Amino acid sequence: MDSIIGLRYNGGVLLASDTNNARSILVYQHDIDKISQLTPHAMLGLSGPNCDLVNFSEFVEKNLTMYRLKNGDTLSTSGIANYCRSELATALRKGPFQVNTLLAGWDASSKKTVNGTTVDPTSPGVGSLYYIDYMGTMSPVNYGCQGYCSNFVLSVLDREWREGLTKEEALEIISHCEQVLKKRFLVDQGVFGVKKVDKEGVGVVRDTNGVLVA
Amino acid sequence: MARRYDSSTTTFSPEGRLHQVEYAIEAINNAGTCVGLKCSDGIILASERKVTSKLLAPVKVSEKTYKIDSHCVLSVAGLSSDASILINQARLRAQRYMFQYQEPIPIEQIVETICNYKQSYTQYGGLRPFGCSFLFAGYDPHFGMQLYQTDPSGNYSGWQATVIGANNSSGKSFLKNEYQKDDGPVPDISEGLKLAVKVLNKTMDSTGNGAEKYELFYMKFNEEEEGDVEHHVLTEEETKKVLEEVEKEGASAGDS
């Protein structure tokens, strides 16, 4: 019953997720964080059983940390996406991770340096969003969602998303998605937490209690 | 006394040296010379072809320069048979990285993999170290064009311009003076090719060699696609042209 929503805006990406920790008919918690930070400039929103969420996101995060220590630089967002996809695809035939994810990341430029010189340091850079499911399907998208909520909010995102949105406009679209879920979805999704990733890195926009963070 | 420690690659001598490894490095100092140069618009690898017999079938394109991936090449000094094992490893590493991350491997990671493999042969018993050094040239978006040198001990280092193989020290001291002369600009590829030929002329035994003795390679930025590079091994005609230009410069330098 998890809801993960993500969309790109000019210079970054927003990810929103519900904060319920539920199993069967019982809700255990109303304030868990389903968006985990993988690197300073990448985050992963996950839906699925809580054990797999924690297990998979920590597995990826620790491996990316190891990559950075070994090679001195973090992987690009597309590298992270392909890494997640290949791990999910490999696990599929031997007790899969039951997670469907949205990966959001930010890169300074697709080409960081040319012949040792940095490319345009003033550029807002590129935010990118990837849809990756537990079977190893991966696709770069402008907006996306995971879970039952996709039945309701994809149409909202399709109507309202456009290239070059500001962060405020993107946040407005997310609240429209929440309103639709509140009105039409049988299962109460409660409060949504929102995070962003941009030039400054991953940050909380709205915490798991629904309080806006300045 | 030292002889007692000669036969084992993995035993330190009382002076704290590994003789077999040092001999392997020494063997490369007698092998065909390779020159590497970073240029403003690309990178050059130039090597000396040892022509052993007139009867030997000439190589089709290159005998010392090997493509590892679309963004990485290396040239070999030393035993080619030992090198081909390592080249296979390098190609495998590059494609495995591509398989996992769907993007080209950073150059230093290939170099590190190969050097770790070389190092293992200096530590585990019953094995002979690889009798070859490499010059790696490649491009990645993290650090741009890069040039690395490796040796049989598993050490590697990055360079602006360097020489490996026979007479490498005289080649290096020549480069020290000529590369970025008087703090001038980094040469472009056409200038760099001439410089590389001059270095090889210094390091080769005989003078006035034919074009078949030189293997000239460059990698440069693809003008149509940003971040993409193209590879080129100079044909005999193109090599001849470079040699002629070098000769002309040498002649006019004598006049002044």
Side-chain angles (χ1 to χ4, degrees), chain B residues 35 37 44 46 191-201 216:
Chain B
V35 184
L37 283 177
I44 290 171
E191 284 300 310
L193 284 171
K194 283 190 271 179
L195 182 53
V197 167
K198 283 181 203 165
V199 176
L200 285 179
N201 286 341
L216 301 177

Side-chain angles (χ1 to χ4, degrees), chain A residues 111, chain B residues 70 139 145 220-223 225-230:
Chain A
K111 310 284 181 306
Chain B
S70 56
Y139 170 80
M145 289 284 184
K220 67 169 189 178
F221 292 114
N222 189 333
E223 275 147 28
E225 196 144 349
E226 198 208 326
D228 204 22
V229 287
E230 49 187 85

Side-chain angles (χ1 to χ4, degrees), chain A residues 14 37 39-41 46 48 51 68 73 83 98 118 121 124 146 149 181 187 205:
Chain A
L14 283 186
Q37 183 172 347
T39 68
H41 286 96
L46 307 103
C51 51
R68 183 169 52 78
D73 204 350
Y83 172 69
Q98 291 174 36
T118 313
Q146 294 284 14
C149 79
L181 287 174
V187 183
V205 176

Side-chain angles (χ1 to χ4, degrees), chain A residues 152-195:
Chain A
F152 305 92
V153 305
L154 271 178
S155 54
V156 176
L157 289 164
D158 186 52
R159 188 176 57 206
E160 299 191 15
W161 187 88
R162 59 181 168 77
E163 190 69 55
L165 287 170
T166 65
K167 188 172 146 194
E168 288 66 32
E169 287 169 331
L171 205 53
E172 186 67 26
I173 296 179
I174 285 188
S175 43
H176 289 169
C177 291
E178 288 172 58
Q179 284 163 20
V180 167
L181 287 174
K182 198 148 264 156
K183 189 167 182 183
R184 299 289 172 198
F185 192 19
L186 180 68
V187 183
D188 179 28
Q189 294 293 292
V191 170
F192 273 73
V194 182
K195 285 186 187 175

Side-chain angles (χ1 to χ4, degrees), chain A residues 64 67 70-76 78-80 82-83 85-87 109-116 119, chain B residues 38-42 97 99-103 106 109 112 139-146 221 226-228:
Chain A
L64 291 175
Y67 183 99
K70 229 168 140 179
N71 304 308
D73 204 350
T74 50
L75 213 49
S76 67
S78 95
I80 297 173
N82 281 286
Y83 172 69
R85 195 208 76 83
S86 80
E87 288 300 337
S109 155
S110 56
K111 310 284 181 306
K112 275 187 203 160
T113 55
V114 172
N115 223 3
V119 177
Chain B
K38 284 215 299 189
C39 298
S40 55
D41 49 351
Y97 190 97
F99 177 61
Q100 192 164 28
Y101 301 111
Q102 298 294 310
E103 53 187 51
Q109 286 194 44
E112 202 178 291
Y139 170 80
D140 66 48
H142 306 274
F143 297 106
M145 289 284 184
Q146 290 154 82
F221 292 114
E226 198 208 326
D228 204 22

